[in-house]
């Protein structure tokens, strides 16, 4: 009963990781915000933080398919490991390492969306609803999903904001409402941060590609290739 309707918004995991690093290492904000972000990454480059997390994931057995020397995925190993009991157990071990009192953790792990969402979706299976027509004895059973998963990139345009919010209203069984102010909120200026290098971007593309592909099996065909690579990267 506690998981009647859930909403999740996913962002390109590469951009999510970069934004996460910039937020945590930013010197802007209140003292309370800085404390909650943590100091662990303040004197480290993005590449150093990525390397440390990859090593941690390897130590707990979460990414046996990843070759850290070539920075590539062994797809055969990945297919065998994905969805296995061994992966679930390794994911739990990884989560056990997460400090709960600061934001400087799980730079890559937060972007393994299928692994993050699967327990929630399994716990909140769709609820069958049976209705009976007033003038007949026939009944109709429908299934209502209990989690709506959206892409953050769909909020980038005025039309996208309205279309996405219309999905939300329909899902929550609320009346349609016209969003009057569609300007971006809670944005960050990245001018003062070192830009994401092409080498790091390409490494993260290889790391996340098989995980992004798993979303189709969990969420359906709307999630085929959710974040296509630029033509120059393919």
């Amino acid at each position: 009963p506690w998981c009647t309707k859930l909403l999740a918004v996913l962002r390109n995991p590469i951009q999510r990781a970069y934004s996460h690093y910039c937020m945590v290492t930013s010197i802007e904000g209140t003292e309370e915000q800085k404390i909650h972000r943590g100091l662990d990454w303040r004197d480290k480059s993005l590449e150093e933080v990525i390397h440390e997390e990859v090593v941690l994931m390897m130590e707990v057995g979460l990414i046996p398919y990843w070759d850290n020397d070539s920075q590539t995925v062994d797809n055969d190993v990945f297919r065998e490991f994905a969805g296995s009991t061994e992966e679930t157990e390794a994911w739990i071990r990884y989560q056990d390492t997460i400090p709960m009192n600061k934001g400087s953790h799980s730079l890559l792990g937060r972007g393994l969306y299928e692994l993050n969402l699967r327990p929630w979706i399994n716990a909140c299976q769709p609820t069958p609803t049976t209705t009976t027509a007033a003038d007949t004895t026939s009944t109709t059973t429908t299934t209502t999903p209990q989690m709506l998963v959206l892409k953050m990139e769909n909020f980038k345009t005025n039309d996208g904001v309205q279309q996405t919010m219309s999905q939300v209203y329909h899902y929550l069984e609320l009346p349609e409402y016209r969003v009057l102010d569609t300007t971006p909120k809670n944005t960050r200026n990245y001018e003062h941060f070192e830009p994401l290098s092409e080498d790091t971007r390409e490494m993260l593309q290889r790391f996340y590609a098989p995980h992004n592909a798993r979303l189709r099996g969990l969420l359906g065909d709307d999630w085929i290739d959710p974040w296509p690579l630029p033509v120059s990267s393919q």
Side-chain angles (χ1 to χ4, degrees):
W2 47 266
C3 55
T4 303
K5 297 274 187 174
L6 297 177
L7 292 166
V9 181
L10 308 185
R11 182 183 187 181
N12 183 317
I14 298 173
Q15 290 304 119
R16 196 224 64 81
Y18 176 68
S19 179
H20 182 186
Y21 172 80
C22 291
M23 179 195 71
V24 169
T25 58
S26 174
I27 60 174
E28 298 179 352
T30 66
E31 288 305 311
E32 184 178 7
Q33 286 175 322
K34 294 175 185 178
I35 291 171
H36 288 310
R37 292 170 187 165
L39 302 175
D40 305 57
W41 300 349
R42 184 66 61 81
D43 298 318
K44 296 176 183 177
S45 68
L46 173 64
E47 286 72 23
E48 288 174 319
V49 176
I50 289 173
H51 174 74
E52 288 180 359
E53 180 153 9
V54 167
V55 169
L56 171 62
M57 288 180 166
M58 296 178 75
E59 287 176 349
V60 299
L62 183 58
I63 51 173
Y65 43 80
W66 181 255
D67 186 316
N68 210 23
D69 292 327
S70 64
Q71 296 191 326
T72 57
V73 170
D74 184 320
N75 288 312
D76 290 335
V77 176
F78 182 89
R79 282 190 290 269
E80 183 176 348
F81 186 70
S84 66
T85 301
E86 290 78 8
E87 183 186 46
T88 300
E89 292 173 348
W91 179 242
I92 293 171
R93 289 194 297 271
Y94 170 76
Q95 291 180 308
D96 286 342
T97 70
I98 295 174
M100 301 306 295
N101 60 344
K102 56 188 175 183
S104 49
H105 65 79
S106 312
L107 184 80
L108 301 183
R110 296 179 197 230
L112 302 179
Y113 295 135
E114 197 271 353
L115 280 169
N116 279 284
L117 290 175
R118 192 199 314 158
W120 289 95
I121 289 177
N122 288 343
C124 301
Q125 290 294 331
T127 302
T129 303
T130 301
T131 57
T132 303
D135 56 346
T136 69
T137 58
S138 64
T139 60
T140 302
T141 300
T142 58
T143 300
T144 303
Q146 293 187 291
M147 176 177 278
L148 177 64
V149 184
L150 306 167
K151 279 202 298 184
M152 196 182 85
E153 289 80 6
N154 291 342
F155 287 94
K156 285 187 174 181
T157 65
N158 292 344
D159 288 343
V161 170
Q162 188 61 54
Q163 290 169 6
T164 302
M165 290 309 301
S166 292
Q167 282 184 268
V168 174
Y169 301 144
H170 178 75
Y171 172 66
L172 296 177
E173 300 177 82
L174 295 174
E176 183 70 17
Y177 178 79
R178 184 69 187 173
V179 181
L180 301 179
D181 182 3
T182 59
T183 56
K185 305 294 189 297
N186 194 30
T187 59
R188 182 172 302 280
N189 187 336
Y190 295 98
E191 290 181 359
H192 304 297
F193 297 96
E194 191 72 23
L196 184 63
S197 73
E198 278 307 305
D199 285 346
T200 300
R201 184 184 299 278
E202 289 173 4
M203 172 263 170
L204 291 175
Q205 286 171 348
R206 293 191 295 273
F207 181 84
Y208 279 122
H211 290 280
N212 292 343
R214 297 174 73 175
L215 287 171
R216 178 186 183 185
L218 187 70
L219 304 176
D221 288 348
D222 287 345
W223 289 84
I224 297 175
D225 198 13
W227 297 283
L229 300 180
V231 173
S232 60
S233 300
Q234 294 181 356

